[in-house]
Amino acid sequence: MDSSGSKKTNNKKKKKSTNITASDLPRRIVCGGLAGMIAKTATAPLERIKMISQTGEHGLGKNTAKGGSSAHSVINLFRNVLRNEGVVGL
């Protein structure tokens, strides 16, 4: 209510149209592809470390079995892969 005692009507904002035009489609496809490539590149080294850790190929299982920190072994595993195989190994 305003000072005169009447109710103000709410002016609803119109929603923007989400129609995709033909000229906008290629840009959206390229942007989506780039976003996917960046995401895959960022997560691939973590997936590699996870797979090595799960298969036990790293030889660090003795430390974690005796109550060692799993975060510590992941860091060691990451360092070992970088040292032995280089960046390409990730």
Side-chain angles (χ1 to χ4, degrees), residues 7-78:
K7 291 184 179 179
K8 288 187 176 183
T9 59
N10 291 335
N11 294 331
K12 293 183 179 178
K13 293 182 181 180
K14 293 181 181 180
K15 292 183 179 180
K16 290 185 178 181
S17 175
T18 57
N19 295 338
I20 299 173
T21 62
S23 62
D24 195 33
L25 188 61
R27 182 181 64 86
R28 287 179 178 249
I29 290 173
V30 169
C31 288
L34 286 173
M37 288 174 19
I38 291 169
K40 199 66 167 169
T41 302
T43 59
L46 300 174
E47 289 293 323
R48 169 88 166 123
I49 297 297
K50 182 181 81 170
M51 288 175 52
I52 292 172
S53 177
Q54 288 174 344
T55 58
E57 296 175 9
H58 53 78
L60 296 174
K62 297 174 184 175
N63 294 340
T64 57
K66 294 180 181 178
S69 171
S70 62
H72 190 312
S73 66
V74 169
I75 293 170
N76 286 340
L77 178 58
F78 187 77

